[in-house]
Amino acid sequence: MMRDLRIPYWPFWAALCLMLCGLAQPVRAALVCSTATPITGAMSGVVNDYWAGSGSPTAGSGSVTLGARRAGGAGANINPGDLVLLIQMQDADLNSANSSAYGAGGTSGAGSTAVNRSGAYEYVVATSSVSAAGGTLSFTPALTNSYRTRSYAAGSNGQSTWQAIRIPSYASASASNVTAPVWNGSSGGVVALDVVGNLTLNGTTAINVAGLGFRGGAGRGLAGSGTGANTDYRTLATNNVNGSKGEGIAGRARYLNNATGYNTAPVLQDTATEGYPNGSYARGAPGNAGGGGTDGETSSNQMNSGGGGGSNYGAGGRGGNTWNNNLATGGIGGAPYNAALDFNRIFMGGGGGAGTTNNSTGDTTTYSAPPGLACSSGALCSSGAA
């Protein structure tokens, strides 16, 4: 039998699945174990391989279509008998009103109107091979869940993504610095292990995926002023004011911090689309992602505020008030996803929203911050007036 050990508060944007044959299985989870010959030994680095899901397979199907294998994995193909994790990474819908109804449609300014398939997952055993080029994966048992691929649609919805992860089977293992390739918008960010016997964790970073999941909102130097009000919950990224929302189960922002891990150098990525309906900037928190800071004085773009924290089973923290006029327009923290959902879903923690700092200033000599959660030389913050 198998157990899925969940760690809902794993730092920042990580997801971790540990499957130990011989222990109790989760409620309603199918009993699925690899039929491949297990290996024994030390594990380190990246041990999984990742394929982005293609199409929208339905419950009862015995096969799915996969894209090309993700670079940066262990480099193994899927072979008959291998254990594979299928997991829906993003699929939530949200209310995109420019008011406190943003997100869940209530008054919190955060969350989603429906999680849909987000977080749904299951284990299957491959009955066919899939190479680095991708293709059709056949498996047993048939799907319990349905999965969906959906593109961002302006004014309607964010993207929906799912992935397939090959899980090596160990008779027993010793783990040191096991990690994953960073989430890239379609795959990665997850470590999944199958250990029949003893799993020894060596040190505090035996398994470390901090900063490798949903990405925080990145910032840019924004010269001059923007339009709108300091009460906005969402604005377009083309408007020269406010901070970027983070990435989460409801989609992704246009500008993301594509850093390679926790507390590493920020990397600005322009995804070329807003990513969230009606705008990816300002304080509204989409799903479990944090909202960006809303500037307290849009005409001058200099009353800076903090970005909201991403969430998982607990809510994200609220961004700090604006400078000088002290308005509570910092990014709203991502909504919690706990009591309303059963325990057969797993989410990566939402990315934090970007705060703002005037003239792209930041103190990196005395303060160092995780990607997407605070300012660092303007690279993680939208700047005020130049």
Side-chain angles (χ1 to χ4, degrees):
M1 301 180 72
M2 307 176 66
R3 184 175 78 173
D4 169 31
L5 175 62
R6 297 153 193 234
I7 303 180
Y9 294 104
W10 196 260
F12 303 108
W13 311 285
L16 173 67
C17 305
L18 296 180
M19 295 165 295
L20 310 178
C21 289
L23 299 178
Q25 70 186 67
V27 177
R28 294 197 299 270
L31 177 59
V32 180
C33 281
S34 170
T35 60
T37 302
I39 58 178
T40 300
M43 62 172 71
S44 64
V46 179
V47 299
N48 299 115
D49 280 287
Y50 308 80
W51 287 259
S54 177
S56 300
T58 58
S61 298
S63 65
V64 296
T65 302
L66 305 179
R69 188 179 69 201
R70 165 76 184 274
N77 294 330
I78 298 175
N79 292 304
D82 285 343
L83 191 64
V84 178
L85 170 65
L86 304 177
I87 181 169
Q88 184 83 44
M89 306 302 294
Q90 299 167 294
D91 195 37
D93 290 327
L94 57 85
N95 184 321
S96 60
N98 192 19
S99 69
S100 62
Y102 186 90
T107 60
S108 67
S112 56
T113 55
V115 297
N116 298 322
R117 300 163 180 82
S118 301
Y121 72 99
E122 59 198 282
Y123 307 113
V124 297
V125 176
T127 57
S128 68
S129 298
V130 178
S131 69
T136 300
L137 170 66
S138 299
F139 49 78
T140 185
L143 292 181
T144 299
N145 304 304
S146 295
Y147 298 88
R148 174 160 67 170
T149 300
R150 179 175 61 166
S151 299
Y152 159 74
S156 176
N157 58 265
Q159 68 176 20
S160 297
T161 58
W162 61 277
Q163 63 175 321
I165 303 173
R166 179 189 179 273
I167 306 171
S169 179
Y170 287 82
S172 62
S174 176
S176 300
N177 298 314
V178 174
T179 188
V182 64
W183 169 255
N184 65 1
S186 60
S187 64
V190 176
V191 167
L193 307 177
D194 177 21
V195 182
V196 178
N198 293 328
L199 172 62
T200 301
L201 302 179
N202 294 321
T204 58
T205 58
I207 303 173
N208 184 8
V209 280
L212 300 179
F214 288 142
R215 296 162 289 185
R220 305 166 292 149
L222 302 176
S225 61
T227 60
N230 60 21
T231 56
D232 283 333
Y233 284 77
R234 46 85 174 156
T235 54
L236 297 175
T238 51
N239 188 359
N240 284 341
V241 70
N242 305 324
S244 175
K245 304 177 190 298
E247 180 181 36
I249 62 173
R252 65 186 186 190
R254 173 168 179 174
Y255 292 98
L256 294 169
N257 176 17
N258 206 33
T260 57
Y262 175 79
N263 216 16
T264 59
V267 178
L268 176 67
Q269 179 179 359
D270 181 358
T271 65
T273 61
E274 285 293 329
Y276 289 119
N278 296 315
S280 59
Y281 268 46
R283 61 176 162 163
N288 64 342
T294 298
D295 196 274
E297 188 178 279
T298 57
S299 60
S300 62
N301 193 20
Q302 63 180 350
M303 296 295 171
N304 317 123
S305 65
S311 70
N312 198 306
Y313 273 45
R318 182 77 175 250
N321 289 3
T322 61
W323 172 75
N324 198 22
N325 60 4
N326 196 32
L327 299 177
T329 62
I332 297 171
Y337 286 85
N338 42 34
L341 300 173
D342 61 37
F343 284 93
N344 287 308
R345 293 178 186 249
I346 292 179
F347 302 96
M348 294 198 295
T356 63
T357 178
N358 204 40
N359 299 332
S360 297
T361 57
D363 180 358
T364 58
T365 60
T366 59
Y367 180 74
S368 183
L373 296 186
C375 301
S376 178
S377 297
L380 298 181
C381 307
S382 299
S383 75

